[in-house]
Amino acid sequence: MNKKILTLLILILSISSGLMLSKSIAKKHKYKIIKGYFMNSNYVLVKIENKDLKFTISKPIYDKKLNNYYFKGQTTSHFLISNNVDIAINTSPYEVKQNMFFPKGLYIYNKKMISKQITNYGEIAIKNNKIILNPKEDEIKNSDYGFSGFFVLIKNGNYKKNFKETKHPRTIIGTDKNNKYLFLATIEGRGVNNSKGASLNEAIDFALSYGMTNAINLDGGGSSTLVIKSNNAPHKLNFTANIFGQERYVPFHLGIKLPN
C-alpha cells in the first residue's frame, strides 16, 4: 500500500477514535462547575443535566418514646459518602430539641408525611426521581419525597424583590424553564474570602442571571455547603462560614446520583 495512503488512513482513524473518546467523556460529565464573583461575594454553582438522576434525602429515625420522627446531624461530606451519591448539598431549615433535629416545614420520606408545610416556605417534591420546585398541592400529596427550603425566590418566572437587604451566605436550588437543568449554588459570606454574602433580593438576581425560572433559598449561613465526589472522596466546593472553614453538622441534605 502506498505510504501516503497508509499515513492518511492512520490519521483518519486517530481523529475518529479521538472524537469517539471526546463524546464518551462528554457523556460521563453530566454537570458543570461554575465559580465566580457576584455582588462582592464568591460563589460556586453546579449546573446539572436534569435527566436520569436519582435523588436521596436524609432519612428520619423513629423514636417510640416520642412517638415521632427525628434526625441526626452530619456533615454534607459524610452524607455524600454514606449515601454513595455524586453531588450533595444542605437543604432544609431545622430546630433542635434535646440534641435531636426536627424539620421546619414540609418533609416527606418514602411517601410518609413527617412534617407539614409552613406558609411562605419554598417546597421541593420528588416523584419517580423527578424533582419539582414550587409544586402544586396534588404534586406534594402524591410525591415520594419532599422537603422545605426557606423562602421562594422565583416561582414560574415570577418574583418580588421585597425582602430585607440583610446579607448572609446563601444556598440556592433552581431549575430552568424547561427543567432541562438543575442548579445548586452557594454564595459565600460573613467575611469568608472577603465575601459579604447576598441579600435575598440579590439572590433573586443571581438566579435570574443563570436563567432559573424556579428558585428557592435553602438553609444558608454556616450551614451552606456544596460537595461533589472526586476520586471516591468528598470535595467541598465552597468555603463554609465556620471556624477554620469546618462543615457544620446539619440534619437535612439532598444527594444526587448521576447516571452511569
Side-chain angles (χ1 to χ4, degrees), residues 153-171:
L153 300 174
I154 308 170
K155 184 174 182 178
N156 300 324
N158 300 311
Y159 57 90
K160 291 182 180 180
K161 294 183 183 179
N162 55 3
F163 295 104
K164 294 180 180 179
E165 291 299 331
T166 310
K167 296 178 182 286
H168 290 290
R170 301 292 178 186
T171 311

Side-chain angles (χ1 to χ4, degrees), residues 103-118:
K104 290 177 70 177
L106 178 73
Y107 207 87
I108 299 169
Y109 191 89
N110 198 20
K111 299 183 179 180
K112 183 173 182 59
M113 179 76 73
I114 306 297
S115 178
K116 294 182 180 179
Q117 300 155 262
I118 292 180

